[in-house]
Each structure stands twice: as structure tokens, then as C-alpha cells.
Amino acid sequence: MSPCVKLAAALAAALPLAAAAQTANLQGRALGAPGGLAVPGLSLAGAEEPTAVQLNPAGTGFVAAPTLQYFHEGRRGTGLGEDGFWLTVPAFGLVPTLAMEWIRPQDGGGARFRKTTFALALPAGQLASLAVAGNFYSSPDPALQKLWSLDAGLTLRPTRHLSLGLAVRGMNAELSGRRLPIGYDLGAATRLLGDGLTLSADLLSDDQGRGDLIARAVALGVGVELASGLGLRGQLQLPAHAGQTGPYGQVYGQLALVLDAPHAGVTLGGGGGQGMDQSWVVGARLSAERYRGRGFIPQPVPNLDLARALSRSRSLLFPVDRDRWGALLARLRQVRDDPSVPGLVVRIDDLPVGHARAEELRRLLLEVKARKPVVAYLAGGGLKEYHLATAATAVLVPPSAALFPAGLASTTPFLARGLGKLGVTFDVVAVGRYKSAPDPLVREDMSEAQREVTEAVQADVFDREVRAVAEARHLPEARVRELVDTGVFSADEARQAGLVDGLAWPDELELAVAARVGHRVRLAAGLDESPPRAAQRWGPRHKIAVVRVEGAIAAGRSRSAPLGDDGIAGAETIAALVKRAAGDREVAAIVLRVDSPGGDGLASDLIWREVVQARRAGKPVVASMGDLAASGGYLVSVAADAIVAEPSTLTGSIGVFALKPDLSGLLGKLGVSTVTVKRGRHADLQSFTRRWTEEERALVEREVRAFYGVFVSRVAEGRHLGREAVEQVAQGRVWTGAQALERGLVDALGTFDDAVRLAKERAGLPADEEVELAAFEPEHGFLGDLAGGLELQADAGPLDAIARLPELRAVSLLLEVGPLVALPPGWFGAWEGSGAGQEPGAEAGPGPR
């Protein structure tokens, strides 16, 4: 038997009832003071619900979302008993509370009255709270009708395991011309065993009605909270001095049984003491915060449409969701960790993510599957989507659906001849044998170097996904390759081949899930996304700052991309965020989430510099790679202490190129003439109306080679490699995460969560330490948010068709990024699992916060 259970059992045996009450109010009744309800389970330093106004109003400051509590107290020989409610609604950084109690004393015990309390708390997270409260009485008794008093409280929680409380109660209280004692109470509490055991001790004193301060009693408390939501709370009040007589010399005790669900709770309890009747209490709670109890009934099974969860919200008035990917992962973690959720359904169709993030998603689904059934409803997609679906307990498809696990394909259009007919040519200088990003604009076919990289990347990703499918479906790898070569299956053919487990219409999913869960279930489109109860864990939390580098890197501020929804990662914005995170004393480490094809060399180097400065300031930095972290995206990553990539992340591409279009031929065909007036021989070096001269080409090549040398030096320094070793893996070549690990370009394969764990380790935090993931993002005012909200969905209609034209996308990004860029092959498009996709590259999108 655990120590907390033994302690609870001993306390229960010592009291007359298995219930609880607030000892201060029990004692107050014995003294004849107009106290309130005997609310269960309060201690001076441990109070953290709306009922805290009864003992220490500062406790209400730890309520982070609207919460309503109700209690009814009955005592032997009374009629209706006592009732009260407490409502706390945090707003604008303050925490106001309203409480009303209807007190109906026993016959001969005084007049009935209503006590109304207004409290206002000023919290500082879970670290401290300061509050004041006013108590006003209404009663047929004229003396009680005039009674009012003020309370004040302070609670400090400097660590996870310690809470200190101070309360002054009953200021200005006078009854029938007699000053009532002012209470001066001190308390301390500790929370142990994963925040499941709370021990408290309170010293209750008063000034004897404006006289000398005297210690009256000591209250000892214990609270036990199990993950199931079952709890036991008790308090025992003892005289502060031996030989005390009257109410101060008596012993009072309370015990309560609590059953918590996420957003509701029930309390049953009671207590009593020498010379007074025993009382019983029943209470209820409703809260927007999510308590850690399992609930009274099973939760509905979430039915998540992954593609919809990742799609951009449509809004004309409110900002779009900036972190759809992170929100999806957070929801899946919640399903994994919530024992009251019996299972999960994921609807899988064409997913707007690359193979690396699909791997991250698959790994999380496997974690959910280890704890509860997961049903994948596969409605479309190719090998990438099917590979993801095989992480589920069962794979179901609509009876009329077709399955397309047809492997991987990459199609690159080469436009040099066609653009030449239009009079459009390009000047290009590239360093690195494999730096083939400009090739579609200047070549008529694929180079051997580009073919080598494309085939190596495809082979690595394809072989890994085939192995995973074979393991999940209990099929030989050779058989999986045969099925992939077949490529297209009807729903029934897929079932016969062992690719899926069954056929089901959408309305039949509940029965299919119930068969695997073992009881009747109800599907729900959403999840409970309310925040967990913050007060469950005391004290400040270490922060892990998350700074995202997403989209092509360019100078200036982060902004929307001209085409598509990748966005432009502005060096000015990201460098400022890294600097702010490094200077935040609450931040223990930084996770740099990179999902970028690279971009402007100088802009990437400016971010690199700020990451190095953060490390020099003592903040560990871990880079977490998403679908793509190549060229400039890899450059900013090598500044980190460690790099974590997915096996299918596309990274490396250590190379540089400069590209400039010449539109003079096109303009001539259109009858457009241009005249340039300049001062300086090379003032029009970047002009779109002529080619570079040999001298200018030499100047550009010198600059490109110089930056390439800087790039190689940065990699050698960050990865602790010699320049020769870097040159062997550089030359603009793209590697998968698995290939990069073998070559020392990354430190580990893993997810964003793995990067967070590594950041905690580098910061010297215990592995089980609960940390706060703090997203460091640009500050947005109302007008900026409104402008963001006016964005239309970029993956719909004509804009989507334009954004999918790789050449137009290439030109648009070139205009944004600048003339000197460091982008990998296929930087302007996303390659798909089958069909006519683009070269290896990945569409950069939002990652976890």
C-alpha cells in the first residue's frame, strides 16, 4: 500500500464520518461568529478553486478558466440546511469571483442570513497570487444586516513542491457594536508523488477583537488525487496550546470523497467536532478547465479528418490558424494520453504534407495504437497515405473506393527550349555538381547528377515505406513490391490482397469501431481541446522556446509567399525571435523547427549568427527538421547544438546558385524597347533586359563561390567535420534524413517530440520534467491579425492551379528571395507519392509549437 493511501486510511479511521468540511467555519460556529458553509478540503496554501474565498481569496487566482461550484450542507436537526455557489471567470489578466451563501442556522443558533462575497485576484501564472475580497451580509436580524468585512490573501508557489499562504480575514467586522476578531493565518503545503499527494499545515491566529495576537489552532490536511479522478481530502484541526478550553480547545475534523471528471466533479463529505453536531456536505463542479479525471462515462471516439485538420481556415474577419500541423499533433497526443477516450478514427485522403511529416504522424498513430484501437478510414491518396494508414489497428475503405499504392514518381518539366521560343533566357552561376535547381529553366533534359540524386532519394524512401507496410500487414516485402507494381485496386481487390481489413460506408464506422473497442461507441468530429487545469502543477515551469523557420528564407520580415501558402521566412523576424528567446530567463532551451528549402544566402547566414549567439548566451538549441531543411534551411540548422531529422526529411543541398532572367527577346517580340541610363559600369547587373557580360559573370561567380566557401565552413564548424569531409557530402546534393545520419550531417532520427526531449537533456532538466512549449512568434496587432484573416484559402480554385505551376512558382520566389540563393533541387514544388509530381523537395508548411 502506498504512503498516501495509508495516510488517507488512518485519517478516515480517526474521524466519525467519511466526509469533509472546512474546520475554520466549524470553529466559527462554535464561537457564535457568522461563518459560511463548511466547504470541503480547503487549506490556506493549497486552496486553488473558487471556494478559496472562504479561507484565502488568493487561491482563486490559480483558476485559469471559468469555473462554477455549488455546495449544500446539512446538519442533524436542521431543515433546509445551507447552500452556496462560487463562480470564477478570469478576464484581462485578473480573476474575479462571486460567491453567495444562504445560511440557515439550527433552531436557537441565530438568525438566517445571506453572505455575498466579491473577490479580485491578481495572479502571476502558477507562481503567485494576490487578492482582496469583500463580504456583505443580508439578514432579518438588523445587526447582521449591517455586517460587512474585508479579507486579503497572498499565495506564493516558488517551486513545484512548495506553496506558502497568508490570509487576513474579517477586517472592519463589527456585530452589535462588538468588534469581531481579525484572523491572521499562515499556511504551508507540499505536493508530491506526481502532484497526486498534497500535505498541508495551517496556523490559525486572531487579535482577540483588536487585542494581542494569539495562536488559536493548527490545521493539518491531506489530499490524495488519483489519475482516475477519485480523490480523498481530509483536515484535522487541533488546539494550538495545551490546556485551552472552550471552542479553541476542541478538535474538529473533516473528510471528503471527490470524483472528478474532466469538466465536472462531485464531492461527498462531512465532519464535526466536540460539542457540536456532525455535518454532511454534497457539492458539484463545472469547469472550462480540464481536470485529469477520467470521467463518469466513456468519451466519444474522435473522428479526425486529417486533410481537413491541415487545411487553411477560411475567414474574412479573423486570422487563419498559423499552426495547423502543431494543433493536429497536440490533439493526437491528447487522445493517446486520455484514458477516457476509448479509441480513434482517422480519415485519410490526399495529405498536404511530405513523406517526412507523414512519418512523424505515423509514429504518433502507432503510440495511440499501443494504448487503444485506431481505425484508419482510407478514402484516397497514394503510397504515402497508405503507408500512414497501416499504423492503425484496422484499415477500412469505402466499398466503392479505389486504392492507389502505386509507388513514388517524380516528373520534372524542362522549359529551356519552349522559353527560348518566347525569347526568354536565363543567366545562371551554380556551385556544386548537384545544384540543379535552375536546370528546369536552362536545360532541355535531366542531368546525370540530378538523376542520381532523385533515384537515391526515391529508393531510400520507397524501401523504408515498403518495409513498414510489410511489417504492419504481415506480408513479405517481395509481395508488397508486387502489389505496388500492380498499383490500382478496387476496394474488394484490396481486401482480398490483404491491403485492407474491411469495407465500410461512413455510417457504418461506429459499428466497426465498436467491434474493436468492445462496447458501443459514439463518433465525434472534434476533441476536447480545453486547457488542462493549470493549478494541478504548482510553481513556475521551465519553458522550451519553439522558433519556426518555415518557407523560403529571405531578407526582411516574414510574410506570405506570392504563390501558394508556404510563406516567406524573413531573416529579420526570425533572428529577432531567436534573440528574444535567448534573453528570456524562463526559457531553458530553444527548439528551432525548420521546414524550409533555403533561400537568400545572407538572410540564412543572419539567422545562423543569431542561433550561434543564443548558444553562446548559454541556451541550448536543438534543430528539428520537418519535410525539408535544405540549403539555407540546413545552414541555419548547423548552428544548433544538435539536429534531429525524420528518416525521409530532405536535407543537405550544401550549394549556392545565382540566376537572372533575360527578357529582351520577349520584349522585342512584343515591340517593347528599353533604354537604360546608368552611372557605374555594372549598375544594371540585375537588369532583366540583357545578359551578363563575361566580366559580370566572373564577378557573380566569385561571389557565389565565396558564399559557398562560407557555407562549407559553417557546416564544418557546426558538425565538427573537416572541410574535405564536408566537400564529400556537399556539392549541392540532397540527402534523406537517414542518409544524412550516416554521413554525420544530423545527430539523430526522430520527431519534434524527440527534439524537445533532447533539448531538455541539453538544458539539464530531468527526463520526466514537465515543460511548457512556448511558441515565439511575431507580435501581431489587431490590424495585422485582420489582414491575416482576409487571406483566402490558397489551395482552392485558380490560385491553386497557378501555384502548382513550378516555373511560375520558381520565378515568384526568385523575385522575393533575391539574386543569390541557396535552394535544393525541386525547391519550387512538392513531390508526390505517385503520378506526375515534381522533383524531390517538399512543400514547407506549419510545424509543432
Side-chain angles (χ1 to χ4, degrees), residues 38 118 294 312 363 376 593 808 812:
F118 297 98
R294 293 186 180 181
R312 172 175 292 185
R363 216 177 287 188
R593 177 67 176 187
L808 292 180
S812 69

Side-chain angles (χ1 to χ4, degrees), residues 272-422:
Q274 296 168 308
M276 66 178 297
D277 289 330
Q278 297 171 349
S279 66
W280 56 271
V281 180
V282 60
R285 167 190 57 83
L286 295 175
S287 62
E289 283 188 289
R290 179 164 36 88
Y291 282 56
R292 64 177 180 179
R294 293 186 180 181
F296 308 123
I297 59 175
Q299 297 293 306
V301 173
N303 184 8
L304 291 180
D305 187 324
L306 299 183
R308 181 175 299 173
L310 292 172
S311 65
R312 172 175 292 185
S313 303
R314 296 175 181 264
S315 174
L316 290 177
L317 294 178
F318 300 101
V320 296
D321 184 0
R322 296 187 179 94
D323 188 17
R324 294 160 286 162
W325 177 251
L328 173 61
L329 296 186
R331 295 168 74 187
L332 291 174
R333 292 188 201 103
Q334 180 185 329
V335 172
R336 176 194 64 191
D337 298 335
D338 189 344
S340 67
V341 177
L344 172 68
V345 175
V346 287
R347 179 185 174 90
I348 301 175
D349 209 328
D350 293 310
L351 296 179
V353 298
H355 290 262
R357 282 194 287 169
E359 282 177 334
E360 184 172 12
L361 194 56
R362 189 177 192 273
R363 216 177 287 188
L364 188 49
L365 287 181
L366 287 172
E367 293 177 9
V368 178
K369 174 186 172 182
R371 303 187 186 185
K372 59 196 67 176
V374 177
V375 173
Y377 194 58
L378 188 60
L383 181 60
K384 178 180 65 178
E385 286 76 13
Y386 179 70
H387 170 243
L388 173 61
T390 59
T393 309
V395 181
L396 305 179
V397 296
S400 58
L403 206 63
F404 296 92
L408 308 180
S410 174
T411 301
T412 304
F414 292 90
L415 306 179
R417 183 182 301 172
L419 292 175
K421 292 180 179 179
L422 296 176

Side-chain angles (χ1 to χ4, degrees), residues 8 46 68 291 351 357 381 398 544 564 664 817 823:
L68 173 66
Y291 282 56
L351 296 179
R357 282 194 287 169
I544 302 294
S664 59
V817 170
L823 297 166

Side-chain angles (χ1 to χ4, degrees), residues 641-662:
D641 292 280
I643 301 174
V644 178
E646 289 289 345
S648 294
T649 295
L650 298 181
T651 188
S653 191
I654 305 167
V656 186
F657 74 88
L659 179 147
K660 180 184 75 69
D662 173 18

Side-chain angles (χ1 to χ4, degrees), residues 26 70 95 188 191 210 214 223 258 271 326 370 426 473 492 503 507 516 567 596 610 613 631 648 805 837:
L26 290 176
Y70 164 80
V95 184
R191 185 164 280 175
R210 311 303 191 273
I214 183 172
V258 181
F426 290 85
R473 301 305 302 174
D492 193 57
L503 314 182
D507 58 89
R516 287 159 178 84
S596 170
E610 207 58 60
Q613 291 292 85
S631 285
S648 294
L805 292 175

